[in-house]
Amino acid sequence: MQTPASMVMGIVFAPLGLVLVFMAAITPQWREGQTQLVGVAGAEPRLLLRTDGLWESCLQVAHSELKQCWPVEGAYQSDPQVRLAQGLVLSSLFLCGAGIVLASVGVRCWTDLPLRSVVAAGGLLVALSGLLSLTALGVYTHNLGILGMEQTPPHRPHHRLPQLTLHPAGSLYFGWVGGCVQVVGGVALLLSFKIRPRCPSCSQLKNKQDTEVYDVSC
């Protein structure tokens, strides 16, 4: 049996999308910003780099090895948009993994005929996971500059951090690519449900069954 091209593409794209979204989820580079730290007592000013992810934030002094990372906390952790993005990404990873398992079982490379309905169900889960990833990325990107921002109480002005100019970072782009790949892979698996694979051996078997045998006596 010849496996449909859409099914092959779906089987390749779905795990690739899962890996890209997973990489985006675990890396603390969804947004980044920088600010100038004024030196004390004539010290040279330093550039401070700040990066945030879904579960981790980092601070680094530019052009040095001074870097510190910690789990997200405070206003950023409790921000409803950040928590929504976390839930959507986790749901996306789970659905994509389940979809890949279903599609792999449905393809049944060890037999002549795949279970096309099972493959389609797996494709549906993969496509939904891609939509969840893109929704999470859209929510985060739309609110990127205000996530976790809160007003500093007037009686504690010395705790105010320098103003950061925030913009999208590398992990966010990985996530966008991964979400799109998930959708493409899921749709490809869904399309394979409508494509009936060619099975030469099956047609030959059917022809043999339809052949009538007659005894001819001379």
Side-chain angles (χ1 to χ4, degrees):
M1 181 205 70
Q2 184 178 1
T3 304
S6 60
M7 190 179 295
V8 175
M9 185 172 68
I11 290 296
V12 173
F13 275 36
L16 177 60
L18 177 63
V19 171
L20 290 173
V21 173
F22 179 75
M23 289 177 59
I26 63 175
T27 50
Q29 292 180 337
W30 281 54
R31 68 177 185 179
E32 61 185 4
Q34 60 184 26
T35 187
Q36 194 80 19
L37 293 180
V38 180
V40 180
E44 183 179 347
R46 289 180 176 270
L47 186 63
L48 183 66
L49 305 177
R50 166 74 180 264
T51 59
D52 292 314
L54 290 182
W55 284 277
E56 193 177 36
S57 298
C58 294
L59 277 177
Q60 182 178 8
V61 178
H63 309 297
S64 73
E65 297 181 357
L66 297 176
K67 183 177 182 180
Q68 183 177 7
C69 297
W70 63 93
V72 293
E73 58 185 3
Y76 181 79
Q77 180 187 21
S78 59
D79 191 293
Q81 308 300 333
V82 175
R83 298 180 70 86
L84 175 61
Q86 291 175 337
L88 289 174
V89 169
L90 289 177
S91 300
S92 170
L93 294 173
F94 174 78
L95 284 180
C96 190
I100 291 173
V101 171
L102 275 180
S104 300
V105 172
V107 169
R108 297 199 308 173
C109 299
W110 59 91
T111 64
D112 287 337
L113 293 177
L115 299 174
R116 293 185 295 132
S117 58
V118 177
V119 175
L124 179 61
L125 291 182
V126 173
L128 287 177
S129 71
L131 293 177
L132 290 179
S133 299
L134 295 177
T135 302
L137 292 159
V139 170
Y140 193 96
T141 304
H142 181 71
N143 301 281
L144 185 142
I146 60 174
L147 294 174
M149 298 298 175
E150 60 179 0
Q151 297 294 330
T152 302
H155 61 280
R156 297 174 60 188
H158 57 282
H159 285 278
R160 186 184 296 272
L161 292 174
Q163 185 65 34
L164 292 174
T165 303
L166 298 170
H167 53 86
S171 298
L172 207 59
Y173 300 119
F174 270 106
W176 281 111
V177 175
C180 293
V181 171
Q182 284 177 325
V183 172
V184 172
V187 171
L189 290 172
L190 278 172
L191 290 177
S192 67
F193 177 75
K194 296 184 178 181
I195 302 176
R196 187 173 297 276
R198 297 179 180 178
C199 181
S201 60
C202 297
S203 59
Q204 294 175 3
L205 179 61
K206 182 178 180 181
N207 293 334
K208 289 182 180 179
Q209 292 176 347
D210 294 338
T211 303
E212 296 182 2
V213 180
Y214 296 92
D215 291 332
V216 178
S217 58
C218 298

